[in-house]
């Protein structure tokens, strides 16, 4: 017997264009926010430095954890579609202050991820510019350029944004897949015994590596921010969320295994490599592909900037409609039908910390790591609260089944373990200060919510479809 879907009123339009994005364009939003090309080039070496021969296992476990969360989000997305993403889902069930916690956490997560990929962009831009010209360019200027172009595209047309992101990621990932296939072919398609037996891996190293591996996936759910613009959103968005987690998990795991294998073949340490894909391209017998991958990473980081601004602006739009942000941010462009003011606001918020850090001489990889770690706190909290809300949501609407208690519990437990892994042992340097930055930001957001809520109780989120 088919499961009956809960019934809700028609989704509010919010001034956005309805049903203009195809399933592939909707999927591109989630994929681009993850910026998958940057994981083999930047994140996998960091995971390897901790997990060693267990790097592939860290990504398998991360894939399982993310898939559990994706199944929970997908259940919500089958019945509810709006620009508010996870915020809308939790606002149906959780107390208003917890729903506000999700909203502010998610906004920070998308904006900080945008900051992270902007930092990565100026790192790879100067790497390639130095190779071509022998000179490097102003990191602040590069940051402003990539953000300005992203703001303009997101301001102009969401369909252009989606198509551009789709082709960029498809091309970038394809080149990496070719390098991985060449590498495995030249190594004789044999199992790497060191990796298979997890030689030298420690439990603490795997745990810390798993936390970093999870960062590769953050943003996989961002297709849910296109609830008003996706065609047939109650079908295409859940599929996009689950497909993005599965595809990314398979891609990251294969890359992790192949990269460690390739570095074993040449007797070098992946965990200390600054340009791993260039070396792997040489091992695979196609050195020019290494440069192409670096170019692909650069373009993927641009697509990630665009995707983060696109997602953050739509969350901010709904927050403004519900009294969590200034009313002016809840308007849309009369012609473009995009959240124009929210696009500008989130773009400026993303580039501001990067410009300050870049001006002070911080490297792009440092900015990538710091801002990405800050974003992780927001994502983990939002994911966990969505999982907490799901069983009651389904029970209240007659759609609850036995496994609807098990999967959310497992997903929530995985997110809590990831949070603990981020906090203990206490990270050194700037990483140790990031939890306090997140708590200070969240406190300010909740205070704003309480002050505004006294005057706008009638504007708190209601059930939406």
């Amino acid at each position: 017997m088919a499961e009956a879907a809960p019934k809700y009123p028609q989704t509010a339009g919010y001034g956005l264009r309805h049903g203009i994005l195809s399933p592939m364009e909707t999927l591109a939003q989630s994929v681009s926010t993850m910026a998958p090309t940057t994981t083999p080039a930047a994140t996998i070496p960091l995971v390897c430095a901790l997990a060693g021969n267990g790097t592939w296992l860290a990504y398998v476990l991360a894939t399982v954890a993310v898939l559990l969360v994706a199944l929970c989000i997908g259940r919500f997305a089958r019945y509810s579609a709006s620009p508010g993403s996870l915020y809308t889902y939790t606002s149906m069930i959780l107390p208003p202050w917890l729903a506000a916690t999700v909203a502010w956490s998610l906004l920070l997560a998308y904006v900080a991820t945008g900051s992270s990929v902007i930092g990565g962009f100026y790192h790879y831009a100067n790497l390639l510019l130095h190779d071509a010209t022998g000179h490097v360019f102003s990191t602040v200027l590069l940051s402003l350029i990539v953000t300005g172009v992203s703001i303009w595209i997101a301001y102009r047309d969401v369909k252009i944004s989606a198509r551009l992101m789709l082709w960029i990621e498809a091309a970038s990932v394809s080149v990496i897949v070719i390098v991985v296939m060449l590498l495995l072919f030249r190594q004789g398609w044999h199992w790497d015994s060191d990796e298979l037996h997890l030689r030298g891996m420690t439990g603490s190293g795997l745990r810390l590596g798993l936390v970093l591996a999870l960062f590769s996936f953050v943003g996989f759910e961002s297709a849910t921010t296109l609830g008003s613009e996706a065609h047939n959103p109650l079908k295409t968005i859940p599929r996009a969320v689950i497909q993005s987690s599965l595809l990314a998990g398979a891609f990251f795991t294969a890359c992790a295994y192949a990269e460690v294998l390739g570095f074993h073949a040449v007797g070098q340490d992946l965990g200390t490599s600054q340009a791993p894909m260039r070396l792997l391209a040489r091992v695979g017998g196609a050195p020019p592909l290494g440069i192409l991958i670096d170019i692909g990473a650069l373009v993927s980081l641009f697509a990630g900037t665009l995707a983060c601004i696109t997602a953050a602006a739509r969350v901010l739009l709904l927050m403004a409609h519900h009294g969590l942000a200034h009313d002016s941010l809840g308007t849309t462009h009369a012609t473009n039908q995009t959240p124009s003011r929210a696009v500008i606001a989130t773009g400026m918020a993303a580039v501001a910390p990067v410009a300050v850090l870049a001006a002070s001489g911080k490297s792009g990889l440092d900015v990538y790591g710091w801002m990405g770690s800050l974003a992780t706190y927001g994502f983990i909290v939002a994911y966990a609260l969505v999982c907490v809300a799901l069983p009651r949501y389904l029970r209240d609407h007659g759609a609850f089944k036995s496994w609807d208690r098990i999967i959310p519990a497992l997903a929530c437990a995985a997110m809590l373990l990831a949070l603990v892994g981020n906090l203990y042992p206490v990270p050194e340097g700037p990483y140790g200060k990031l939890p306090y930055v997140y708590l200070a930001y969240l406190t300010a957001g909740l205070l704003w919510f309480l002050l505004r809520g006294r005057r706008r109780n009638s504007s708190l989120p209601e059930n939406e479809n």
Side-chain angles (χ1 to χ4, degrees):
M1 180 177 177
E3 178 181 338
K7 303 296 183 182
Y8 297 107
Q10 181 66 31
T11 302
Y14 299 108
L16 300 170
R17 298 169 69 186
H18 277 275
I20 61 167
L21 299 180
S22 69
M24 287 300 295
E25 290 166 340
T26 304
L27 175 63
Q29 170 64 34
S30 281
V31 172
S32 297
T33 306
M34 290 187 289
T37 309
T38 62
T39 286
T43 310
I44 288 177
L46 298 176
V47 176
C48 182
L50 296 166
N53 286 314
T55 300
W56 67 271
L57 179 59
Y59 273 98
V60 169
L61 296 176
T63 301
V64 173
V66 169
L67 182 58
L68 289 171
V69 176
L71 290 172
C72 294
I73 294 174
R75 291 281 279 170
F76 272 113
R78 288 173 60 187
Y79 307 133
S80 173
S82 85
S85 182
L86 310 188
Y87 166 48
T88 301
Y89 304 156
T90 55
S91 70
M92 300 173 184
I93 296 298
L94 299 180
W97 71 273
L98 275 180
T101 296
V102 173
W104 286 109
S105 296
L106 200 61
L107 180 64
L108 173 70
Y110 287 136
V111 169
T113 301
S115 300
S116 174
V117 293
I118 293 170
F121 179 89
Y122 78 67
H123 168 77
Y124 275 96
N126 267 333
L127 186 68
L128 292 166
L129 288 169
H130 184 270
D131 288 345
T133 68
H135 301 284
V136 295
F137 290 73
S138 166
T139 53
V140 175
L141 180 60
L142 290 171
S143 301
L144 293 175
I145 288 174
V146 68
T147 307
V149 173
S150 298
I151 289 175
W152 181 80
I153 296 173
Y155 183 100
R156 179 68 181 84
D157 190 342
V158 69
K159 194 169 183 66
I160 294 176
S161 302
R163 286 182 175 178
L164 183 62
M165 291 185 292
L166 175 63
W167 287 109
I168 286 173
E169 293 301 341
S172 301
V173 169
S174 296
V175 177
I176 294 179
V177 170
I178 291 171
V179 169
V180 169
M181 296 297 290
L182 288 173
L183 177 65
L184 294 175
F185 177 77
R186 288 178 67 90
Q187 293 301 312
W189 299 96
H190 65 83
W191 288 107
D192 182 355
S193 61
D194 286 345
E195 291 190 78
L196 186 62
H197 296 97
L198 306 174
R199 188 165 290 119
M201 186 197 76
T202 64
S204 60
L206 178 62
R207 176 175 60 83
L208 294 174
L210 173 59
V211 173
L212 275 176
L214 285 171
F215 175 61
S216 296
F217 292 85
V218 294
F220 75 94
E221 82 303 323
S222 65
T224 59
T225 63
L226 303 178
S228 293
E229 294 150 298
H231 176 70
N232 197 2
L234 300 184
K235 289 186 177 180
T236 58
I237 289 177
R239 289 175 183 171
V241 169
I242 294 173
Q243 287 170 353
S244 63
S245 61
L246 285 172
L247 292 173
F251 175 66
F252 295 153
T253 302
C255 288
Y257 173 81
E259 287 187 49
V260 175
L261 173 64
F263 272 75
H264 282 171
V266 295
Q268 294 190 31
D269 183 7
L270 173 61
T272 60
S273 176
Q274 296 298 309
M277 298 311 298
R278 292 191 183 186
L279 185 145
L280 294 175
R282 289 198 299 271
V283 175
L289 292 182
I291 301 295
L292 285 179
I293 290 174
D294 283 348
I295 295 173
L298 177 71
V299 182
S300 178
L301 288 161
F302 160 68
T305 305
L306 175 57
C308 289
I309 292 174
T310 298
R314 280 149 182 79
V315 173
L316 186 57
L317 171 77
L318 196 66
M319 289 173 65
H321 276 276
H322 292 157
L324 295 179
H326 195 275
D327 294 343
S328 63
L329 297 170
T331 61
T332 53
H333 193 280
T335 303
N336 299 337
Q337 294 181 288
T338 58
S340 50
R341 293 183 179 179
V343 164
I344 294 172
T346 53
M348 292 176 62
V351 77
V354 181
V356 172
L357 291 169
S360 64
K362 300 300 186 292
S363 75
L365 289 182
D366 281 339
V367 175
Y368 177 81
W370 296 337
M371 299 307 296
S373 295
L374 178 61
T376 302
Y377 290 108
F379 279 119
I380 287 175
V381 169
Y383 293 162
L385 289 175
V386 166
C387 295
V388 168
L390 178 61
R392 181 180 165 187
Y393 170 81
L394 295 175
R395 190 178 293 110
D396 287 352
H397 297 91
F400 184 81
K401 293 185 177 181
S402 58
W403 66 272
D404 291 323
R405 181 184 297 108
I406 298 172
I407 290 181
L410 292 174
C412 189
M415 293 302 101
L416 291 176
L417 289 174
L419 183 62
V420 171
N422 267 305
L423 296 174
Y424 181 81
V426 178
E428 298 180 357
Y431 288 95
K433 299 180 176 63
L434 295 179
Y436 302 103
V437 173
Y438 169 69
L439 289 175
Y441 161 86
L442 187 58
T443 300
L446 291 177
L447 286 174
W448 172 263
F449 161 73
L450 292 173
L451 291 174
R452 296 271 291 182
R454 291 178 180 179
R455 294 174 296 176
R456 297 192 55 170
N457 287 331
S458 61
S459 297
L460 290 174
E462 297 177 357
N463 288 343
E464 296 174 344
N465 183 26

